[in-house]
Amino acid sequence: MEKYVSTLRNNILQNILEIEKMECSMLQKSKLIIPQLEEGFEQLKFFISNYSFNGDSEEIYFFKKVKPQLFSLLVYHSKIYGIEMRMPTGSIDDQKMYLKRTQDQIKYFFDMNPDFYQYYRSGSTHLDHFYFLRKKPDIGQIIDDFHFERDISFSTYYDSKVTEILANEKLAVYLNSKFSELDQSQNGSVNETSVPKVKVTWTGKKSELVEQIYAWIEAGCFNNGKISIKDLVEYIEFVFNIDLGDYYHVFIEMRERVGSRTIFLDKLIKFLNKRMDDADRI
């Protein structure tokens, strides 16, 4: 399963990357990206319908990690498309008010799911068998009407919650960037030199970027050390055009590495030393 999913995800992300390089609006980009994600999601669903999980742990991994990470991209771009389609054409204040309502909806979602959000983001696993196995949950736990319409062969009750968490976190970053654009426009500070002409996308492994972010946090490299890991991750995601997903889980995996636990940072040291050694020989 892992090989199939990795190939499928990489193909989808590569297609998305090519679309994001296009010189067009976010509305047009999302319109092109959504069909790519829909097709990929259908392929994944078909694959799982003919696949038998190798025990509970693999099933939990799929519904806790694999499916939500892919499906959240579809939810995210669908929300972006809806936001851009309904964006008011009036004043900047009208547009800000419109975006603020979307922010309030995101806040409401997290306010309504504090326990599960804390469970998921803390990397907890003791309730995974309840949350992420395909079985009928306790009726007392069901609060969403759509649960009764779900495909029970391709979903658990809580994988949709993870999907919403990931999509809303990414959407929050997007909304912050929209507010910044509107503020700049309102203050008359937008000009041809205020925004870099080249869009930079992180194309290394997500774990390599997460490794650096945690190092930056510990070294106090930003805002004199007065910044949370969540805020820094959101900023890096926006700047480098990437969704880092469950970065805390990546940190846990780093701690469990055998041998060096800072593989990428060690590699960077070697690369930089080689560059300086090569320069010395010139």
Side-chain angles (χ1 to χ4, degrees), residues 7-19:
T7 301
L8 177 64
R9 180 173 56 237
N10 289 340
N11 289 339
I12 292 173
L13 293 179
Q14 183 60 41
N15 290 337
I16 291 176
L17 182 59
E18 293 301 317
I19 293 173

Side-chain angles (χ1 to χ4, degrees), residues 176-194:
N176 287 337
S177 71
K178 293 291 289 184
F179 275 113
S180 296
E181 291 175 6
L182 292 174
D183 285 339
Q184 289 180 328
S185 179
Q186 200 166 35
N187 296 330
S189 59
V190 173
N191 54 57
E192 291 183 356
T193 62
S194 64

Side-chain angles (χ1 to χ4, degrees), residues 28-260:
Q28 293 170 311
K29 289 178 182 178
S30 291
K31 188 175 181 179
L32 294 173
I33 288 172
I34 289 171
Q36 297 283 339
L37 290 165
E38 288 177 332
E39 181 181 350
F41 197 62
E42 285 301 316
Q43 291 177 20
L44 181 64
K45 185 175 181 179
F46 179 78
F47 174 80
I48 293 300
S49 69
N50 295 283
Y51 180 79
S52 296
F53 288 110
N54 186 24
D56 288 354
S57 60
E58 189 178 42
E59 183 173 346
I60 288 171
Y61 174 73
F62 177 81
F63 287 109
K64 186 177 184 179
K65 302 292 182 183
V66 176
K67 181 189 172 186
Q69 287 176 0
L70 183 60
F71 194 27
S72 65
L73 291 176
L74 176 56
V75 173
Y76 166 72
H77 281 286
S78 296
K79 289 186 176 183
I80 292 296
Y81 182 77
I83 289 171
E84 295 294 342
M85 277 289 291
R86 294 186 288 269
M87 179 71 73
T89 58
S91 67
I92 289 179
D93 286 336
D94 289 338
Q95 294 177 14
K96 284 184 175 181
M97 188 177 301
Y98 167 73
L99 295 176
K100 180 62 169 59
R101 288 197 294 269
T102 305
Q103 277 189 328
D104 291 341
Q105 292 170 5
I106 294 175
K107 181 178 183 302
Y108 178 77
F109 169 79
F110 286 114
D111 287 345
M112 291 297 293
N113 297 278
D115 294 336
F116 182 73
Y117 181 70
Q118 183 177 7
Y119 174 87
Y120 178 75
R121 275 306 176 206
S122 67
S124 299
T125 59
H126 60 283
L127 294 177
D128 281 0
H129 280 74
F130 174 76
Y131 290 146
F132 302 111
L133 290 178
R134 292 170 298 177
K135 59 183 180 181
K136 188 174 182 179
D138 181 351
I139 192 67
Q141 298 290 330
I142 300 176
I143 58 175
D144 297 322
D145 293 339
F146 74 85
H147 169 78
F148 296 102
E149 300 176 2
R150 70 187 179 93
D151 182 349
I152 60 175
S153 67
F154 191 60
S155 63
T156 69
Y157 177 55
Y158 284 89
D159 73 74
S160 62
K161 294 286 187 184
V162 178
T163 295
E164 284 294 314
I165 287 172
L166 297 178
N168 280 328
E169 286 181 341
K170 192 171 178 62
L171 187 61
V173 176
Y174 176 78
L175 291 174
N176 287 337
S177 71
K178 293 291 289 184
F179 275 113
S180 296
E181 291 175 6
L182 292 174
D183 285 339
Q184 289 180 328
S185 179
Q186 200 166 35
N187 296 330
S189 59
V190 173
N191 54 57
E192 291 183 356
T193 62
S194 64
V195 179
K197 294 181 174 60
V198 178
K199 187 173 185 179
V200 177
T201 297
W202 178 266
T203 55
K205 296 179 180 178
K206 291 183 180 182
S207 60
E208 294 173 340
L209 187 53
V210 170
E211 192 174 313
Q212 293 180 88
I213 291 173
Y214 271 93
W216 293 334
I217 282 288
E218 293 307 310
C221 295
F222 296 91
N223 296 348
N224 296 314
K226 297 178 181 178
I227 186 173
S228 68
I229 183 72
K230 182 176 182 296
D231 288 341
L232 182 56
V233 166
E234 288 181 354
Y235 180 78
I236 296 300
E237 285 181 323
F238 173 69
V239 171
F240 292 123
N241 189 33
I242 186 172
D243 177 13
L244 290 174
D246 190 354
Y247 54 87
Y248 182 75
H249 183 74
V250 174
F251 178 66
I252 293 175
E253 292 178 341
M254 288 164 49
R255 291 167 51 195
E256 296 174 348
R257 289 172 180 169
V258 177
S260 174

